[in-house]
Amino acid sequence: MGEVRIKRAIERVPGGMMVVPLLVGAVIATLFPTTPKVFGSFTGALFTGALPILAVFYVCMGASIDFRATPYIVKKGGALLVVKVGIAMILGVIFGRLIGEAPIGAGLFAGLSTLAIVAAMNDTNGGLYMALMGQYGRPRDVGAYTIMCLESGPFLTMVTLGVAGLSAFPWQTMVGSILPLLVGMILGNLDREMRDFLGRAVPVMIPFFAFALGTGLDLTKIWQAGLLGLGLGVAVVVVTGIPLFFADRLTGGTGVAGVAASSTAGNAAAVPAIIAAANPAYADAAAPATVLVAATVVVTAILTPLATAWTARHFGERPEEATPPAAASEAPHAAPQLAKQA
């Protein structure tokens, strides 16, 4: 019997390790909603265990962040991080004043919420960014994602929603949302073997928490993400890509790295559920926001490489101008393997 290439098939789908298990979970939850109660035990726990899996995921993700990044990486990654999160905060303030915490209830924009917009804008697809930099950018630009990793998780989304004047979060909840990441960072920087050990688990856990998230979705409502999800994905690339392009050029780049960061990470689809668990004011917005952000992951995974290739062709360095291969040593050791499916 021939081998079935399941992993390769999943990876052909943009953001596949996040999107495919999420859709599988949603299909089971829609067609067989009593599954977790019928089987209980470990099966039932997997259907409802997204938050514990995500807690472990962020410890492992934090372990891959190297404190000893070079000044260039800190400058580049910091600039892209500040611009990306700053745009999300501006939009959070605008839409927070217009629609508040609840999603829009009817019409063309039904399901759209401030939570969906902020979650989609806040977090860059690290695996996609590093792959694009490996093809179109300079080796040292790959390491910028070491700083941009700080976008991962719900902490900055909580901060953004608070800045927008919406329902606030207790300081204990905000600290708790970033504590696993910080613990991982400390462990990874104290012991390189722990960094390697924990870092290897990052891609493994993505399909598991994606499946658990999917089991909370109702596919009878997923059609709402159609044009709206497409529009939100295009908006992420355009609205964040242009400022990121100029931020990259202002920090000594060609603009290519900035455009390569104009995507949405697969793990951003987990943020609405975490936010709703921390503050019930966002409970109504969480499910449609998860669908919209998941759609945005797919859309940006297609558009961002196209936009990056165009930018590299028109603004990138000629081969003789590119940074010598030796500059690759400036990137932290953990960078290439992180969040390939994030």
Side-chain angles (χ1 to χ4, degrees):
M1 184 175 178
E3 184 178 358
V4 180
R5 305 285 187 177
I6 298 174
K7 182 173 181 288
R8 290 186 183 181
I10 292 175
E11 289 176 339
R12 288 194 184 101
V13 178
M17 280 298 178
M18 178 75 190
V19 174
V20 173
L22 185 142
L23 291 177
V24 170
V27 168
I28 295 174
T30 302
L31 299 180
F32 310 102
T34 60
T35 299
K37 292 183 179 179
V38 170
F39 291 98
S41 189
F42 298 119
T43 301
L46 181 59
F47 274 69
T48 58
L51 293 182
I53 299 173
L54 279 164
V56 180
F57 173 80
Y58 288 122
V59 172
C60 296
M61 175 68 79
S64 63
I65 300 175
D66 196 337
F67 287 150
R68 297 174 298 176
T70 64
Y72 175 87
I73 291 171
V74 173
K75 179 180 70 172
K76 176 71 67 178
L80 297 181
L81 171 70
V82 168
V83 170
K84 183 95 171 182
V85 175
I87 292 169
M89 285 187 175
I90 292 171
L91 293 176
V93 170
I94 294 172
F95 284 93
R97 300 291 174 84
L98 292 175
I99 61 179
E101 296 96 342
I104 296 174
L108 180 63
F109 297 101
L112 185 66
S113 62
T114 307
L115 175 59
I117 293 169
V118 171
M121 297 283 176
N122 247 346
D123 199 350
T124 295
N125 186 326
L128 182 62
Y129 170 83
M130 289 186 286
L132 291 172
M133 284 296 91
Q135 183 174 357
Y136 299 111
R138 295 176 291 192
R140 58 182 178 174
D141 286 331
V142 173
Y145 187 67
T146 305
I147 307 301
M148 296 163 66
C149 271
L150 296 175
E151 297 169 356
S152 298
F155 177 74
L156 288 177
T157 299
M158 290 183 183
V159 173
T160 300
L161 294 172
V163 170
L166 301 178
S167 297
F169 298 85
W171 70 267
Q172 297 94 331
T173 300
M174 296 187 69
V175 172
S177 69
I178 200 173
L179 197 56
L181 193 73
L182 293 176
V183 170
M185 290 172 66
I186 293 170
L187 288 173
N189 282 272
L190 288 177
D191 184 353
R192 184 174 296 279
E193 290 184 358
M194 283 297 291
R195 175 184 300 163
D196 295 338
F197 172 70
L198 294 173
R200 285 194 293 269
V202 171
V204 174
M205 283 185 288
I206 290 172
F208 291 100
F209 74 67
F211 175 84
L213 287 171
T215 61
L217 301 179
D218 184 351
L219 280 182
T220 60
K221 299 179 181 178
I222 201 169
W223 63 268
Q224 295 176 355
L227 289 177
L228 193 55
L230 174 63
L232 184 57
V234 172
V236 169
V237 175
V238 174
V239 174
T240 68
I242 294 173
L244 285 168
F245 170 83
F246 288 107
D248 183 26
R249 292 184 70 87
L250 287 173
T251 53
T254 62
V256 176
V259 176
S262 63
S263 60
T264 301
N267 56 47
V271 170
I274 299 173
I275 295 295
N279 191 329
Y282 299 96
D284 292 339
T290 300
V291 173
L292 283 172
V293 175
T296 302
V297 172
V298 177
V299 173
T300 60
I302 296 170
L303 292 183
T304 298
L306 295 176
T308 304
W310 183 90
T311 305
R313 189 163 57 249
H314 290 83
F315 300 96
E317 297 171 326
R318 293 188 296 273
E320 62 271 18
E321 296 174 339
T323 304
S329 62
E330 296 178 17
H333 295 284
Q337 293 300 322
L338 292 187
K340 280 196 172 183
Q341 299 296 332

